[in-house]
Amino acid sequence: MPVPHLTTALKGPLLELESRIIAAQPQIEHWFRSQWQHHDTPFYGSVDLRNSGFKLAPVDMNLFPGGFNNLNPEFLPLAVQAAQSAVDKVCPEARSLLLIPENHTRNTFYLQNVATLAHIFGQAGLKVRLGSLNPEITEPTELVAANGDKLLLEPLVRQGNRLRLADGFDPCVVLLNNDLSAGIPALLQNLEQALLPPLHAGWAVRRKTHHFRAYDQVCQDFSRLLSIDPWLINPYFAQCSNLDFHSRQGEEELARTVDEMLAKIRVKYAEYGITQDPFVIVKADAGTYGMGIMSVKSAEEVVGLNRKARNKMSVVKEGLEVSEVIVQEGVYTFESINEAVAEPVIYMMDRYVIGGFYRVHTGRGIDENLNAPGMHFVPLSFECPCLPDKAGEPDCPPNRFYAYGVIARLALLASALELEATDPDA
């Protein structure tokens, strides 16, 4: 599959940043190896990146990635090897795996993701079956994915401290592809089997601000290694809590936070001679699926929101009310595919980059969230599986993708620190 053509406004600092990343590859890989000796790798994850030409930074980290069906199938062997490594770490004797997907069984593209995950672990030598938390699944139920793949979803059975299926299937490993937005069910608590990711990685506990605090720490260390300004790979952020969008409680505090953030960004834009208008993204501090997000360029835009905007911001997945938001520096994306705005999404398992895709949206601008209805996906071909071409230009595809992989792995490392800090058993 050819590498999608990238049209990126390559301004000096990013070319310089990519050049430093390529030149420092041996130090970077040694640094990552040493970090993974001290921290447990998250089982899997995906990172949304934004490349503005002057800045390359993660804007979201998902610990329950749901787009494995969008990866380039040519790189399936990478995923299988990473899956074997990830499972070996938690249960070297593992023969079977119980995969628990999200409850929204009507999303046939999501089901295609589940089928792809089951295929990866099947190829890794495990017997894989699907168990459901959905109370509507009371007997084995066949579902059909968007591409025609058939899945058998079965109700979970708890016996003592083990999860099983009705016929006695007793897995070594339980893998969640359900982000627990609706809370942590008693069925999953205090299991003796390896449960991955851990329960505190779910949105019932996790906060985006926790992740980006950990990412701040990772960026400080990495930036010293490369002698770069951490801002080039790190978006500013702040948290706002005690909000009620319906009653407009906390509106002034939110506006003040937005104003302060824009002022900080303006200082950096002036330092680097950037002429674009700074903007911030306001989004729910917990949750996914592009819900509860708005892009603003002035504090006035969050004051006196109309009813439609308040409704949009007030509720996320599973109907949960939003009372906490992250106010995050907006990072422009100057990447496009066929003249549509695009952003790279990088997928990892264990500590390995296994592929990615471009999220593309024909109806959104370079300063807007692309995770919205109408988006589509173009697989990324990582030439020479994410290895740089030191003889090539800094922005040639292998080097661009190596840089993506480095920044994505920084976010993965931040997730490791985040999970350590929020581990209730630590």
Side-chain angles (χ1 to χ4, degrees):
M1 181 175 290
V3 175
H5 178 64
L6 307 183
T7 54
T8 302
L10 286 166
K11 298 187 173 63
L14 188 58
L15 268 179
E16 182 186 333
L17 172 63
E18 289 176 328
S19 299
R20 290 198 186 198
I21 288 174
I22 303 310
Q25 186 217 1
Q27 297 98 302
I28 289 171
E29 296 306 325
H30 175 265
W31 182 81
F32 272 122
R33 284 195 299 273
S34 66
Q35 294 297 317
W36 293 129
Q37 286 174 4
H38 298 103
H39 305 288
D40 291 334
T41 329
F43 189 83
Y44 57 6
S46 67
V47 182
D48 294 356
L49 297 178
R50 301 278 284 203
N51 181 355
S52 66
F54 53 83
K55 181 166 186 152
L56 173 60
V59 293
D60 226 338
M61 172 86 210
N62 188 355
L63 293 177
F64 299 86
F68 283 90
N69 53 307
N70 298 315
L71 302 181
N72 184 345
E74 287 178 27
F75 290 93
L76 179 69
L78 277 181
V80 171
Q81 285 180 323
Q84 289 171 327
S85 172
V87 171
D88 282 350
K89 283 183 176 177
V90 294
C91 188
E93 302 296 316
R95 297 179 185 178
S96 55
L97 180 141
L98 180 64
L99 176 57
I100 301 179
E102 294 280 2
N103 289 352
H104 45 66
T105 54
R106 292 183 185 85
N107 184 336
T108 57
F109 290 104
Y110 173 72
L111 294 178
Q112 197 174 323
N113 155 74
V114 176
T116 304
L117 262 178
H119 179 62
I120 288 169
F121 287 100
Q123 293 287 85
L126 295 165
K127 183 174 177 58
V128 181
R129 290 173 67 180
L130 307 179
S132 178
L133 291 168
N134 190 339
E136 295 174 14
I137 303 289
T138 56
E139 59 184 8
T141 304
E142 186 174 272
L143 302 171
V144 182
N147 64 345
D149 282 352
K150 292 180 179 176
L151 299 90
L152 187 67
L153 215 52
E154 303 181 62
L156 294 166
V157 177
R158 171 101 179 211
Q159 292 181 341
N161 286 337
R162 296 189 73 82
L163 269 191
R164 295 188 166 108
L165 297 179
D167 64 0
F169 179 72
D170 186 358
C172 315
V173 177
V174 179
L175 177 61
L176 287 172
N177 198 241
N178 180 312
D179 65 20
L180 305 178
S181 289
I184 300 172
L187 201 65
L188 299 181
Q189 294 176 23
N190 304 311
L191 291 175
E192 61 186 44
Q193 292 140 305
L195 176 69
L196 302 160
L199 294 176
H200 64 284
W203 287 121
V205 175
R206 190 175 179 233
R207 295 293 178 268
K208 293 174 186 179
T209 44
H210 293 166
H211 173 77
F212 282 99
R213 278 188 202 109
Y215 187 73
D216 274 350
Q217 186 180 335
V218 168
C219 275
Q220 291 299 326
D221 293 345
F222 183 78
S223 298
R224 278 194 292 271
L225 182 74
L226 260 63
S227 299
I228 59 169
D229 179 352
W231 179 78
L232 295 173
I233 57 172
N234 191 6
Y236 290 138
F237 75 94
Q239 186 186 46
C240 244
S241 50
N242 301 316
L243 294 169
D244 185 329
F245 283 96
H246 286 303
S247 70
R248 296 187 163 145
Q249 177 184 317
E251 207 172 65
E252 296 80 8
E253 177 64 24
L254 178 58
R256 187 161 53 250
T257 304
V258 167
D259 210 31
E260 289 169 358
M261 179 73 63
L262 289 168
K264 280 180 73 174
I265 302 167
R266 280 190 202 98
V267 171
K268 277 296 181 186
Y269 275 24
E271 182 183 336
Y272 284 96
I274 296 160
T275 56
Q276 277 82 17
D277 291 330
F279 71 103
V280 301
I281 298 289
V282 180
K283 55 188 171 183
D285 204 8
T288 51
Y289 292 95
M291 300 174 76
I293 296 181
M294 62 190 298
S295 172
V296 299
K297 290 187 175 176
S298 76
E300 289 73 37
E301 291 179 54
V302 299
V303 177
L305 293 173
N306 63 32
R307 179 177 293 183
K308 182 180 176 183
R310 294 203 310 274
N311 287 343
K312 179 187 164 192
M313 288 302 297
S314 63
V315 177
V316 290
K317 187 182 165 203
E318 305 286 357
L320 298 178
E321 294 280 335
V322 174
S323 62
E324 298 173 323
V325 297
I326 177 172
V327 178
Q328 187 180 57
E329 175 188 349
V331 182
Y332 284 94
T333 177
F334 289 136
E335 302 214 82
S336 65
I337 293 176
N338 298 327
E339 299 183 5
V341 177
E343 66 186 10
V345 184
I346 308 303
Y347 272 61
M348 294 161 291
M349 194 174 291
D350 192 32
R351 58 191 176 98
Y352 304 104
V353 173
I354 59 169
F357 52 82
Y358 280 108
R359 181 184 286 120
V360 185
H361 205 302
T362 55
R364 291 285 171 115
I366 59 175
D367 58 351
E368 292 183 286
N369 165 49
L370 303 187
N371 187 0
M375 62 184 167
H376 66 278
F377 307 100
V378 177
L380 268 171
S381 285
F382 283 85
E383 292 187 350
C384 314
C386 229
L387 300 176
D389 174 8
K390 293 192 175 179
E393 292 298 318
D395 58 333
C396 73
N399 290 344
R400 165 79 18 98
F401 297 157
Y402 178 71
Y404 287 170
V406 168
I407 302 302
R409 285 183 287 160
L410 293 179
L412 188 73
L413 177 57
S415 290
L417 301 182
E418 171 196 359
L419 292 178
E420 287 170 15
T422 55
D423 185 351
D425 298 326

